[in-house]
Amino acid sequence: MSLLFRVLAAIMSPLAALSPLPPAMPIDPPTELRFIQTIAAFLKDPYSITSVTLLRQLLLPSPSSTNIDLATHIATSLGALHTLRVQIRHVLEDRMAMRVVQRDTAASAKTHAGMPGDVDAPLLGRAQRAWGKGGADIWDARKVGVFLVRAVRAWTASLAPTEKERVFKEVATLLKDVLQEMDERVEDGGKTGNGFNDYDTAAAVGRVLFEMTDYVKTLKCVFFLLFL
């Protein structure tokens, strides 16, 4: 998987804001999508436990890394983070779709099938995954928060050059996705959906942000020393 993560880091493109509507997460070029789908297959049964454990390990810099292979370790960690972010986005977007369906159901007449007549099939499919917690295991705020904190702490302490800031940027965009979903949920009246705990999510985001401020402090120290 480490090779797949390195290739993904080289070809990955910026992701749009979260949206429950198709295309929920447009990815271009198609090569990137194929890599993400391949990696995602390993994160499902029967390989899920081993693959998630490996992904967590690859988020960290190697303790034996040298200047020659620092770029390799950064690319591996970056690809692993991007994979984690994509999978979490799927869960968040499914929950957003669930709230859209709930809102439309309450506001419109239902068909004989018991569903709103104007709901798109892809949107309804995403909502059904959220109701059934499909794929939600990848977003356990307490667990994900712990190993993101460890990753940020390890990269802050590493001797890697400023290129490691790409890792911090990917962590920050992941947190941004989580906060966007939380903000939109508040606007919808605070409906959380199955298995969602606001306190755990807020605590996880706060802990990761706190660790990232330590890296900012190191930059301030370097700036100060330059002018002594």
Side-chain angles (χ1 to χ4, degrees):
M1 288 185 69
S2 58
L3 178 59
L4 291 173
F5 288 148
R6 289 197 294 273
V7 174
L8 180 60
I11 65 174
M12 69 185 196
S13 55
L15 299 177
L18 292 176
S19 171
L21 301 174
M25 189 179 57
I27 295 178
D28 187 59
T31 302
E32 180 184 352
L33 178 59
R34 289 198 294 269
F35 267 91
I36 289 176
Q37 291 173 337
T38 300
I39 297 172
F42 286 105
L43 297 175
K44 299 176 182 178
D45 291 334
Y47 316 105
S48 58
I49 296 177
T50 301
S51 297
V52 171
T53 300
L54 179 59
L55 184 149
R56 291 171 58 180
Q57 293 174 345
L58 293 176
L59 293 177
L60 304 172
S62 173
S64 60
S65 61
T66 63
N67 290 331
I68 297 176
D69 58 6
L70 271 176
T72 299
H73 291 294
I74 290 173
T76 302
S77 182
L78 187 61
L81 273 169
H82 192 71
T83 298
L84 179 65
R85 183 187 173 201
V86 168
Q87 300 307 310
I88 290 175
R89 282 171 64 94
H90 282 315
V91 176
L92 299 177
E93 288 173 331
D94 287 350
R95 286 171 172 161
M96 293 169 68
M98 177 189 67
R99 292 195 302 276
V100 172
V101 172
Q102 289 175 331
R103 185 171 62 243
D104 290 348
T105 300
S108 64
K110 298 181 180 179
T111 65
H112 294 297
M115 291 294 176
D118 57 350
V119 175
D120 294 334
L123 185 67
L124 184 58
R126 303 203 76 174
Q128 289 173 336
R129 284 199 300 270
W131 280 316
K133 297 186 181 181
D137 289 343
I138 193 68
W139 177 229
D140 183 319
R142 288 174 295 182
K143 294 180 180 178
V144 173
V146 167
F147 59 76
L148 283 180
V149 164
R150 291 174 179 171
V152 171
R153 186 178 299 164
W155 279 109
T156 299
S158 74
L159 299 177
T162 55
E163 184 68 15
K164 66 184 178 183
E165 290 182 4
R166 295 179 62 198
V167 174
F168 297 140
K169 181 179 179 180
E170 193 67 18
V171 173
T173 53
L174 190 160
L175 298 181
K176 182 179 178 181
D177 291 337
V178 174
L179 292 174
Q180 179 192 338
E181 194 276 339
M182 290 184 70
D183 287 343
E184 295 192 10
R185 181 151 35 83
V186 171
E187 294 176 0
D188 284 341
K191 297 182 179 68
T192 62
N194 293 341
F196 202 104
N197 187 303
D198 274 344
Y199 177 82
D200 288 342
T201 302
V205 171
R207 285 193 297 267
V208 178
L209 286 175
F210 180 79
E211 288 296 329
M212 293 181 73
T213 60
D214 282 344
Y215 178 69
V216 176
K217 292 176 182 177
T218 66
L219 296 179
K220 289 183 177 180
C221 291
V222 171
F223 182 82
F224 176 75
L225 291 174
L226 288 174
F227 290 89
L228 283 179

